[in-house]
Amino acid sequence: MTRTTSSVQAPQLTSAEKTSADSPADTAGSRDDSKTSEQGFNHVGRHRISERLLEELLSPVDNASLMVFRVAFGLAVAWYALRSLLSGSVAYNYIQPAMHFSFQGFEWIHPWPGAGMYFHFTLMLTAALCFAAGFCYRLSSVLVFLTFTFTFLCERSLYNNHYYLMSLLAFLSIFIPLHRRWSVDVFRSPEIASTYVPAWTVWLLRFQLGIVYFYGAVAKLNADWLQGQPMRMWLVKLSDYPVLGSYFTEEWAVQTFVWGGLLIDLFAVPLLLWRRSRLYAFAVIVLFHVINSTLFDIGVFPWLMIAVTTLFFSPDWPLRLAGQKSRSAPSSSPQTVRWTPKLRWGVALLSVYILLQLVVPLRHHLYSGQTSWTENGHFFSWRMMLRNKIAAVRFYARNPETGREGIVDLRPYITPLQLSKMARDPNHILQMAHFLADDFRKQGLGNTEIRVKALASLNGRRPQYLIDPDVDLVKQQLGWLKSDWIVPLKEPFRRDAWDRPVQYWEEELGL
């Protein structure tokens, strides 16, 4: 980044202006001049503050912590790809189903046909290992982002917040030079080596992590969570856990998890930013994520969060840990930023990205109803572990021309995993209804009406209808705001969760 030695000076009063201001005969004029001068000072002051902030973000810092992040994140993606290949989930999730649930706006993304998804995950694995090693970094970072995000968007029912975070981190990595130290690229081309990066690269990743913690805390500020559900339900199921399980049925243990999770998410970033509390906060966060990984099946997310949280330490922490000293950063005298077109575009695009990260998690306020019930605005909002939703759904098809009707067998279309996710999400159910109507039309069965009987129990409540059973879902369109075919949540909160088996729901509810 080119920097100049010019500086912005505050405007000085000339002798003529001083004389005019001191003259009693020109009091009104002096007031106007004083106001104009004050506005000038305020404008220049704000300008200098913004330039000073930008100078700080462009100042060089040690890149050692980013190199550790590169290795950790690359290995996390590689582990995900390898596990998918070895466990059979590639075939189960992407090849076997005849129908895939999609995100709005990304309906055009579909899994590759045939063995294409195996090649896709193999490419992801290779790119992730190259990313971790810093080999052909620019190409491997783009491939990691494209391959991972493609699989993420292929199947909506597989959504997880940590997959979304990994996609965002892969995207940001494209623009951050994570290969200029401790990498194969440096070994092959020593001239690209550098021990420094602009400070904004570290702060951008810190901001992204801070978004996860902050909105995770905001989402927990709801009545169900604060009253102990669904945490109480989850801990009861873990009562046979070795040593600690007997305590999980105690109310004090429930409240410890409830308030501990909320307070850690809420204060994690401030305590990590304060040097005096950073080490203690990190120790608590590590313990928090280790407990989550032990008790709950949430994949690589806890370990990824631990690795990324180390970015809040001093950028040269890996060197200090190894007993080495960081080289002194290039010294420079006070300078102002030269606003080149490239810098202006960079600041503008970065501002748009930051604004989206701040606004998108709030979009659920545009919808009516409780988010955990309607699922509107749930995705991409860091609403983590907030609901225990048990649901069951049955599809009915009717040909209005012939009067023939019957229950639809979904097994030829989707997997049991898709079915379990679909049953609790009205938007998934609506997509399934449209898919069935299109499939029946292709089979020459004409236009078909699709209705559903969907029952759901949210956080231990008594089950109720999730979708109006009298509505023909084929006539309903996916929209950003309108979903009046979803039945509002009416059942009150229950401290003692409803525990009747699903197969008896209809009988006990008199439906």
Side-chain angles (χ1 to χ4, degrees), residues 428-443:
H428 282 165
I429 293 175
L430 185 59
Q431 284 191 35
M432 187 79 243
H434 281 267
F435 176 86
L436 291 173
D438 290 340
D439 186 64
F440 293 153
R441 193 178 299 112
K442 293 176 182 177
Q443 296 180 35

Side-chain angles (χ1 to χ4, degrees), residues 358-372:
L358 293 172
V359 171
V360 169
L362 300 174
R363 75 189 191 284
H364 64 89
H365 292 293
L366 299 174
Y367 300 91
S368 60
Q370 185 170 329
T371 305
S372 294

Side-chain angles (χ1 to χ4, degrees), residues 203-216:
W203 280 105
L204 179 58
L205 293 175
R206 288 174 176 173
F207 165 79
Q208 187 63 76
L209 185 60
I211 286 290
V212 178
Y213 279 118
F214 175 73
Y215 280 111

Side-chain angles (χ1 to χ4, degrees), residues 382-403:
W382 311 114
R383 301 177 61 83
M384 298 172 284
M385 298 185 69
L386 291 178
R387 68 206 195 291
N388 188 82
K389 201 170 182 181
I390 304 172
V393 63
R394 185 184 301 125
F395 281 75
Y396 297 87
R398 179 179 181 274
N399 188 317
E401 298 176 359
T402 64

Side-chain angles (χ1 to χ4, degrees), residues 17-30:
E17 290 172 328
K18 291 177 181 177
T19 301
S20 175
D22 293 338
S23 174
D26 198 16
T27 304
S30 69

Side-chain angles (χ1 to χ4, degrees), residues 17 45 52 70 109 261 293 366 368 407 458 483:
E17 290 172 328
R52 180 58 180 167
R70 184 198 74 217
I109 295 181
S293 178
L366 299 174
S368 60
I407 298 174
L458 176 64
S483 54

